[in-house]
Amino acid sequence: MGLAETRELEERYLMRTYKRGAVDFVRGEGVHLYDADGKEYLDFLAGISVCSLGHCHPAVVEAVTEQAGQLMHVSNLFYTEPMAKLAKRLSDSSLGGRVFFCNSGTEANEAAIKVARKHAHGRGIAAPEIVSFEGEFHGRTYGALSATPKLARNEALGPYLPGFRSVPDNDAEALRAAVGPNTAAVLIEPIQGESGVWPTTEEALLAAREACDAVGALLIFDEIQTGVGRTGSLWAYEQTPVRPDVITSAKALGNGMPIGACITGPAAADALQPGDHGSTFAAGPIATRAALAVLDAVDDPALLRSVREMGARLRAGLEELPGVAGTRGRGLMVGVALDEGIDAATLGADLLERGLVVNIPAPGTIRLLPPLVVEKGQIDRAVGLIGDSLLGFGAS
Ligand SMILES: *Cc1c(COP(=O)(O)O)cnc(C)c1O
């Protein structure tokens, strides 16, 4: 079956929720993808920061295939060793508290919202509120969606959950004013990903930490995109002046196996109790074995140093290109601002033609999230392809 037939089936049978690039991939290896015609692509999106070790990383493939032949699922009514080991590993490598597992990013934030509300009720708050910045993205289920101001404006999907408010991005003053006696938590992305790679300022992060401490609220970092090595440290918060009380993780945690986690520090570790939350699939042995293999590879100073170096090389190369107005981000999470008049969507489609997979999160912006194992030559090749494409758009 070729692309045309696949598209026909999609048109007929899938809900129209996605706009897809005109290619059907059949195979992946390292930083490369291959379509049905055998054409090779350099993947600088990595399944939206999911395949951080590259496609079909041998250690992950081995963990998944071995576990699939041994035991795929038993539910959370019983013990399984990989789940317990992964929880220890995540806690030890971050905030030191407890972990709740789930299957996606949005669910990790749902768990964090429950933790925050329960923690607030424990402090006698009857109507707890969660405060975020306007440009953030936290997911598509109703709790996470209600914490995603731009999407929660779509009346056709309302009503949304009560108990959420937002303030303008990086507005420390407005954040301080919004946090009060009813605040359960401040929920923020240390670097906004979906809106186009916008690092939250240190001033705003410090204001959030101080405001939470002043009223006893929890500071939650959504590290679903920034975590698991993406920014050059295992967690993005390590490169900020603040330490959150809760972090959420997903995307790269399973390198393609669906898994999410809500990880607490001591303050919030015991908020959820039996009956408060659960998931049938969560922390299954295949996903947790995959995640253990991922952490073995990513939690490595040499790899994390390479992420910082390759990120710097990528940004330096891009900033030399005519048509590039500037770059943003940290490590291998890079947003590229294009000169006015260059249509990013058309550029993205042209790059796909040329064999480079990128993402266009917003008009005028390219987002690059290459696998963390990307090498110098591949960085230079991607910069070259983007340069060639920009020339075709009249950049000079
Ligand atoms: C992708 C993402 C989510 C949602 O994750 P899903 O797995 O799609 O539910 C939430 N927050 C951030 C910051 C993300 O990048």
Side-chain angles (χ1 to χ4, degrees), residues 76-387:
N76 280 299
L77 303 180
F78 305 97
Y79 294 94
T80 48
E81 186 180 301
M83 163 191 68
K85 279 186 172 162
L86 181 62
K88 173 176 165 46
R89 183 100 200 232
L90 288 171
S91 173
D92 286 352
S93 74
S94 63
L95 304 176
R98 297 181 188 275
V99 179
F100 178 84
F101 285 116
C102 52
N103 315 287
S104 66
T106 198
E107 287 173 83
N109 284 331
E110 294 296 329
I113 292 165
K114 271 198 182 178
V115 165
R117 285 184 165 188
K118 187 97 189 291
H119 183 264
H121 283 291
R123 296 189 291 119
I125 298 171
E129 278 184 351
I130 292 176
V131 182
S132 298
F133 286 118
E134 265 159 24
E136 289 176 21
F137 177 80
H138 296 299
R140 299 283 189 169
T141 51
Y142 272 99
L145 187 57
S146 300
T148 299
K150 280 185 187 153
L151 296 180
R153 275 184 213 133
N154 182 354
E155 300 283 346
L157 295 176
Y160 297 93
L161 262 58
F164 292 88
R165 55 193 288 187
S166 62
V167 298
D169 288 346
N170 290 316
D171 189 335
E173 210 46 57
L175 185 74
R176 277 191 208 96
V179 173
N182 288 328
T183 306
V186 172
L187 166 61
I188 39 186
E189 295 179 75
I191 302 172
Q192 291 181 12
E194 294 306 297
S195 64
V197 189
W198 294 98
T200 303
T201 61
E202 290 200 353
E203 189 204 358
L205 295 176
L206 284 166
R209 181 68 274 176
E210 282 165 22
C212 285
D213 289 343
V215 298
L218 299 174
L219 178 60
I220 306 171
F221 273 14
D222 178 341
E223 292 238 26
I224 289 161
Q225 191 159 149
T226 57
V228 196
R230 175 55 56 190
T231 67
S233 48
L234 188 61
W235 306 106
Y237 79 80
E238 296 169 41
Q239 295 181 68
T240 74
V242 306
R243 188 180 169 88
D245 302 300
V246 177
I247 56 176
T248 52
S249 177
K251 287 202 164 90
L253 186 55
N255 209 60
M257 290 305 296
I259 181 167
C262 172
I263 309 163
T264 71
D270 294 312
L272 296 186
Q273 291 296 319
D276 284 336
H277 206 22
S279 161
T280 299
F281 286 131
I286 300 180
T288 45
R289 280 283 300 274
L292 283 165
V294 166
L295 290 174
D296 276 343
V298 173
D299 196 3
D300 166 7
L303 180 79
L304 294 171
R305 189 179 333 110
S306 175
V307 170
R308 299 190 295 272
E309 286 169 4
M310 291 305 113
R313 187 182 184 93
L314 177 60
R315 289 177 65 179
L318 290 164
E319 283 172 8
E320 295 286 310
L321 297 178
V324 169
T327 65
R328 305 182 290 267
R330 195 168 298 139
L332 283 169
M333 182 170 179
V334 175
V336 187
L338 301 172
D339 283 348
E340 214 160 313
I342 299 176
D343 180 58
T346 317
L347 185 76
D350 183 62
L351 286 169
L352 190 63
E353 274 290 306
R354 292 171 189 264
L356 180 67
V357 181
V358 304
N359 170 248
I360 311 302
T365 303
I366 313 177
R367 177 172 52 161
L368 301 174
L369 301 161
L372 307 183
V373 296
V374 70
E375 290 167 6
K376 271 185 198 166
Q378 295 155 343
I379 294 275
D380 297 347
R381 192 152 159 257
V383 171
L385 287 168
I386 294 170

